[in-house]
Amino acid sequence: MTLLNDPRTRHRRLGVAAAAVGLLAALVTAGPAAATPDPGDGPAAREKVSRSDAAEARAAVASGEIPGQDEIVHSDNIQHLANVPKEAFTGLNSDLAFQGKYAFAGNYDGFRIFDISNPKAPRTVAQVLCPGSQNDVSVSGNLLFLSTDSSRSDNSCNSTTQPATEKSSWEGMKVFDISDKSNPKYVAAVETACGSHTHSLVPDGKNVYLYVSSYSPSATFPDCQPPHDGISVIKVPRNAPEKAAVVNFPVLFPGEGPDGGGNPGGPTNPGVSKTTGCHDITVLPSKDLAAGACMGDGILFSIKDPEHPKVIDQVEDNVNFAFWHSATFNQKANKVVFTDELGGGGAATCNAAIGPNRGADGIYDIVGKGDKRKLVFRSYYKIPRHQADTENCVAHNGSLIPVKGKDLMVQAWYQGGVSVWDFTDSSAPKEIAYFERGPLSTDTLQVGGSWSAYYYNGYIYSNDIAKGFDVLKLDDRRTDPAKRVRLSELNVQTQPDYFD
């Protein structure tokens, strides 16, 4: 999710990027923080919509054009096996990671660990209160990593919000020991420039490297100065995580002057985000490759030397992409799917007015060899079902479904639900399954829906922002071979070689 800066406190908030076709800049701002637990960034406020939009939403429900409020609908090849509502935490649910029989679910208030040995009845093992958006989560061995991208009073799990204009404020990476899943222990913290919106793991023997994505610098923020055009690289010794430290800050968008390089955004490119860092990076260690979704730019880079990543190619789409959000390689590493998070995750963009090419996926082929490889655009993919103007909906986090010879993906679309689609033909992607709920409201725009939807050991797991943890089962001859692929660990932004 794209979160913009509050110039006073640098609390993150949901926002809508200015759109070339006149998408209304309806900001969903963070409300006041609750007392217990402190949600880090306050809950998203409900955004009023026009009377005509509300009437249209109610009419669409009444006619059956869209599901009723909270009604669940899905294609015939998907079953909804389970839902586990929120318990201790009231914040937004965020990303997911997996290890063995466990799922790790981020939440703006902390993280939750599920035992998924019985996918029909997931069981909560632990809930760790540690506020600080987005709490993007990943795991490796006995370590869990948690991103903090809201300005805090200190690096503890008892911290409170504090203005980023104060030098003592803290943002960055937290490290937990999860050798006892029922009792995770906080063992280390590393402050990073502009915090950690997301992070990606690069395993390297006795060490784990973290590529930390962050953005939106300001001259008024002592620890987040412009032109923040790179990523923080953290080295974590597995046997001594307390020694974790930033070992490099590679500049990915070199340029002269205070604004650095990368996409200048508006007014040069109206409706496009200025590049001031990266939002998310996906690494493919088996191929020594990474793909970065960096606000106004998409990049391909080599990670042969994990401490010193090297950019191979850089692309922009100043017609249909507003905010380059995330990336997914296919298994052969000859394609990348980039997502455009038009509206920052808080807007209704899955409608006829926005159309099929904006707030969508962009499919790029990788052509050439070695450091001369190039990203070549082929097509867009967007869910084929229109959503109500009270539903936040846009392309978001997804993963491959591992089937040899096919390029299949499951993906979250917020209140657009979960989509399973085939991009084996880069120029003609098509949906093959879906799951979604009706709008949270037909009167107000409320932030909800699937944040992340990932395929892991035969099932789809979705972390719904408002409704909790969902388990889906996909039965389809095109995807059934994936059920034979078993992983011991999955961090989607560290893509495995499924068939090695």
Side-chain angles (χ1 to χ4, degrees), residues 240-251:
E242 69 279 3
K243 295 181 180 179
V246 175
V247 293
N248 194 17
F249 187 87
V251 175

Side-chain angles (χ1 to χ4, degrees), residues 95-125:
D95 214 355
L96 294 168
F98 305 89
Q99 187 182 85
K101 65 177 185 178
Y102 297 101
F104 304 81
N107 179 284
Y108 278 45
D109 293 337
F111 64 93
R112 189 174 179 182
I113 302 177
F114 294 98
D115 181 333
I116 55 172
S117 54
N118 179 2
K120 294 182 179 180
R123 180 176 60 86
T124 300
V125 175

